[in-house]
Amino acid sequence: MSKVPPPHVPPTRQLATAHLMKRLLRTYVRPYWGRFAAAIFMMLIGAGATAALAKLIQPVLDEVFVQRNATLLYPIGIAVFVTFVAKALSAYGEAVLINTTGQKIIGDIQKELFRHLMKADLAFFQAHPTGTLIARFTTDIALLRYAVASSLTGFGKDILSLIFLIGVMVHQDPWLSLIALVVFPSAFYPIGRLARRMRKVSGNTQAETGQFMTMLEQVFQGVRHVKAYAMEEYEAQRADKLIDRLRSLIARAGRVRSIASPIMEMMGGLAIVTVIVYGGAQVVEGTRTPGSFFSFITAVLLAYEPAKRLANLNVILQEGMAAADRVFALLDEQARITSHPGASELRVSAGEIRFQDVTFQYATQPRPALADFSLTIAPGSKVALVGASGSGKTTALNLIPRFFDVASGTITIDGQDIRTVAIDSLRANIGLVSQEVSLFDDTVRANIAYGRPSASLEEIILAAKRAAAHEFIERLPQGYDTPVGEMGDKLSGGQRQRIAIARAMLKNAPILLLDEATSALDTESERLVQSALSDLMRGRTTLVIAHRLSTIMDADLIYVLQDGQVAEQGTHASLMAQGGLYARLQKAEAQAT
């Protein structure tokens, strides 16, 4: 068994935290300022209640316990209880407001990201593994959600609590406050350095998570081939390496994250010891009452927790900012294939398709897939593209609905350059049936109606009948309401293909693109579907790609492609008479069967 290569982790950009926070606040937080104002009001109540508790310690000790003033016992007790009630209610209100608003913000980001990806080019999805994109919606969004909730709470509740408690401390003893406030901030410098490390580790962790999700998706979807080639152990080794790398990164992140608390514990302990020694000496000397001293100590102890949370907040925030950077990187990738401003609607009158000197090259390929490629598909005709694998057949088909754009040359429909018309109108006039059947985890009815969700059941049934699918659909447990499973895995290959053909029939577009549309059908189903397709193609412009040449012998015109150019053209009979490339392909197919 060959050594499993380490996964490739693409580099991630790192925008400044201030830039990312500004974008979050301006774009996503601003619409909810009213809710945040209410949350801040709750935080003010909670912070004031916390400071009041520290202040109430002084009369409890000095007036009740030292002076034994019984008349103040109940009023102070009631005041303490009211303070706790105010603190509890404000904490609940603030938590609900922050949580629901944070969820709304994250939901807005997810919705915008999904809509943005739906407008992305096909090349974008070829360049970004599915698992990486899913990781943006799951792990990255989870980190961002936690960071948003923590930062909103921290910068609101914890800072307000510190301000109120510092006010109590300064009121009790300005000099003692200065001692405590000098020690605490000294912990923020090393924690700030930890935060920068945390962002880098978090970026690497999420990149590895995307790789791991991609591997899982590929293996689970291709499990049939994994077993057929006895590659279980190979895939297990790949998973082992990815899991070990991910575990190592998560452990490193945990170590970095955990260092902040010990630093704050030590610095907090130093501050409290200093206060106890200095303040205790004042109590012993009689220059300070026990109540004022313990009130000050209470304020310091109460301030310790929000100070520690604020110190940890920068570490959490950097994790969230690394996630935000990756999410925004996707949002910032603009689609290259778009409708130009003021683009006109495509008007299909006859349905002529013309390629004129078209050149196209994939970014990952060393030579053009099509070079100075020209051909004409007459209105209402059935034209077939044939040729060896890699000759450019599928590329030519994909250029018509603008899945990709030509590098040079033009493609026109009824004289209209497809780059000058609105993409929606272009694709509305094109029906596509591919050898790669895409069914969604929904009902048979929903899959046939995909593209025409408003279609009636009668129209759906008619389309299914014309695709030779109605009979097997009727035999399904719930008929047209039967779920087809993920990628249609509850159906056979031929059944999936017939549903895809029914979908194209329901769309009823004037231009039809068939890419090995009957490749997965048995002989009987193919006969039925070919008859249905013949009916569908009548009066429509149809481009057919077929590896089985027997399926396109009745084509009005056949183009034979080789190395991205038209090598031969003619009818089946004329091409066979030429004895060229097409005839050799026919002979090879006959020998193979």
Side-chain angles (χ1 to χ4, degrees):
M1 183 68 64
S2 61
K3 186 178 179 182
V4 179
H8 169 68
V9 178
T12 55
R13 67 177 190 177
Q14 280 202 8
L15 295 181
T17 299
H19 174 83
L20 293 168
M21 284 299 297
K22 183 179 179 181
R23 182 170 178 177
L24 273 171
L25 292 171
R26 183 181 64 247
T27 308
Y28 302 104
V29 176
R30 181 182 292 176
Y32 301 103
W33 275 123
R35 299 175 69 91
F36 283 120
I40 291 171
F41 177 71
M42 294 293 179
M43 293 174 186
L44 282 168
I45 295 175
T50 301
L53 286 175
K55 183 63 179 174
L56 284 170
I57 293 297
Q58 180 175 358
V60 168
L61 288 175
D62 288 343
E63 299 296 331
V64 177
F65 290 103
V66 177
Q67 300 296 329
R68 301 181 183 277
N69 187 347
T71 59
L72 292 179
L73 183 60
Y74 288 105
I76 292 177
I78 293 171
V80 170
F81 179 72
V82 169
T83 303
F84 271 103
V85 170
K87 187 177 179 182
L89 293 177
S90 64
Y92 174 77
E94 168 256 321
V96 170
L97 285 167
I98 290 295
N99 181 61
T100 56
T101 306
Q103 295 294 342
K104 285 180 178 292
I105 291 170
I106 296 303
D108 290 345
I109 295 174
Q110 285 180 310
K111 290 175 184 177
E112 182 182 355
L113 180 59
F114 187 81
R115 289 181 180 276
H116 182 77
L117 293 184
M118 287 299 95
K119 297 176 182 177
D121 304 333
L122 196 60
F124 170 89
F125 290 98
Q126 293 177 342
H128 293 79
T130 303
T132 300
L133 297 178
I134 293 173
R136 298 293 170 268
F137 283 93
T138 53
T139 53
D140 279 332
I141 289 294
L143 285 172
L144 189 53
R145 178 185 291 115
Y146 184 51
V148 167
S150 299
S151 60
L152 292 176
T153 303
F155 286 118
K157 181 179 179 180
D158 291 336
I159 286 179
L160 288 174
S161 295
L162 275 177
I163 291 172
F164 276 85
L165 289 167
I166 289 172
V168 172
M169 292 162 59
V170 171
H171 178 263
Q172 295 289 2
D173 191 321
W175 289 107
L176 201 56
S177 300
L178 185 62
I179 294 173
L181 295 177
V182 165
V183 176
F184 266 123
S186 61
F188 284 85
Y189 175 72
I191 291 175
R193 297 191 62 182
L194 288 175
R196 289 190 290 274
R197 285 179 56 192
M198 192 68 214
R199 180 165 176 178
K200 182 178 180 180
V201 173
S202 178
N204 292 335
T205 302
Q206 294 314 307
E208 288 285 353
T209 300
Q211 293 289 322
F212 185 48
M213 287 184 172
T214 297
M215 193 217 77
L216 291 177
E217 183 205 16
Q218 292 172 347
V219 171
F220 292 157
Q221 286 189 355
V223 68
R224 183 183 179 191
H225 293 88
V226 172
K227 292 187 176 297
Y229 288 91
M231 293 295 284
E232 293 92 341
E233 182 57 31
Y234 174 82
E235 296 299 345
Q237 288 182 29
R238 279 214 305 158
D240 287 347
K241 288 186 175 292
L242 276 168
I243 291 170
D244 287 342
R245 290 167 65 90
L246 196 55
R247 174 191 52 77
S248 176
L249 285 167
I250 292 173
R252 191 186 308 169
R255 288 194 299 270
V256 173
R257 194 184 299 110
S258 300
I259 293 174
S261 289
I263 292 174
M264 284 302 299
E265 294 286 354
M266 288 187 293
M267 301 309 295
L270 178 61
I272 291 171
V273 166
T274 304
V275 168
I276 289 174
V277 172
Y278 179 78
Q282 289 181 322
V283 172
V284 171
E285 293 171 359
T287 57
R288 174 185 293 280
T289 66
S292 65
F293 173 68
F294 277 103
S295 175
F296 186 90
I297 284 288
T298 302
V300 171
L301 292 173
L302 289 173
Y304 171 69
E305 283 303 321
K308 187 167 70 171
R309 285 195 296 269
L310 284 172
N312 288 323
L313 179 61
N314 196 22
V315 177
I316 296 170
L317 189 61
Q318 289 307 317
E319 283 188 283
M321 290 305 99
D325 202 350
R326 289 186 293 274
V327 171
F328 290 157
L330 289 184
L331 287 172
D332 291 341
E333 283 199 49
Q334 297 301 314
R336 293 183 175 88
I337 301 176
T338 59
S339 298
H340 297 296
S344 59
E345 297 290 306
L346 176 66
R347 299 181 304 278
V348 179
S349 54
E352 181 194 64
I353 303 173
R354 186 184 295 271
F355 286 73
Q356 186 67 42
D357 300 325
V358 168
T359 296
F360 174 81
Q361 182 173 352
Y362 294 102
T364 57
Q365 297 298 319
R367 61 183 180 83
L370 298 176
D372 296 324
F373 179 81
S374 298
L375 62 78
T376 300
I377 305 172
S381 65
K382 175 183 178 181
V383 172
L385 301 183
V386 301
S389 178
S391 60
K393 304 183 301 296
T394 301
T395 298
L397 182 142
N398 284 334
L399 290 175
I400 296 173
R402 286 191 73 193
F403 292 154
F404 302 94
D405 263 346
V406 300
S408 63
T410 59
I411 301 174
T412 61
I413 296 177
D414 287 339
Q416 303 159 83
D417 189 332
I418 62 173
R419 289 173 296 183
T420 65
V421 300
I423 289 180
D424 288 347
S425 70
L426 168 67
R427 294 173 182 171
N429 284 283
I430 297 173
L432 171 65
V433 180
S434 173
Q435 59 184 324
E436 299 174 357
V437 179
S438 295
L439 297 186
F440 299 92
D441 192 5
D442 206 332
T443 64
V444 172
R445 177 178 179 171
N447 272 283
I448 294 177
Y450 196 79
R452 271 194 63 192
S454 61
S456 67
L457 180 58
E458 289 74 20
E459 291 174 309
I460 292 170
I461 292 174
L462 179 60
K465 286 180 177 178
R466 296 175 66 189
H470 178 68
E471 289 186 6
F472 88 76
I473 294 173
E474 286 283 271
R475 292 194 296 269
L476 294 175
Q478 301 171 51
Y480 282 83
D481 292 323
T482 302
V484 302
E486 184 180 5
M487 301 298 292
D489 61 3
K490 294 182 180 179
L491 305 176
S492 70
Q495 290 173 337
R496 291 196 295 269
Q497 194 73 296
R498 279 179 277 174
I499 287 178
I501 293 170
R503 179 191 295 167
M505 288 182 167
L506 184 65
K507 189 175 183 180
N508 200 25
I511 296 172
L512 190 60
L513 305 179
L514 304 179
D515 184 2
E516 287 291 332
T518 61
S519 62
L521 303 183
D522 54 50
T523 303
E524 178 62 20
S525 295
E526 181 177 358
R527 184 185 63 82
L528 294 170
V529 171
Q530 285 292 358
S531 174
L533 287 175
S534 296
D535 178 56
L536 177 65
M537 289 186 285
R538 190 171 297 116
R540 304 177 195 280
T541 303
T542 305
L543 178 64
V544 181
I545 294 177
H547 291 294
R548 286 190 290 179
L549 303 184
S550 59
T551 63
I552 48 89
M553 292 171 61
D554 63 337
D556 299 309
L557 185 61
I558 299 171
Y559 287 99
V560 185
L561 273 57
Q562 186 176 38
D563 297 329
Q565 293 182 321
V566 176
E568 298 173 0
Q569 68 182 72
T571 63
H572 168 74
S574 66
L575 289 171
M576 290 298 293
Q578 291 178 26
L581 179 58
Y582 180 80
R584 292 196 296 273
L585 290 172
Q586 279 281 8
K587 183 178 179 181
E589 180 177 301
Q591 290 175 343
T593 57

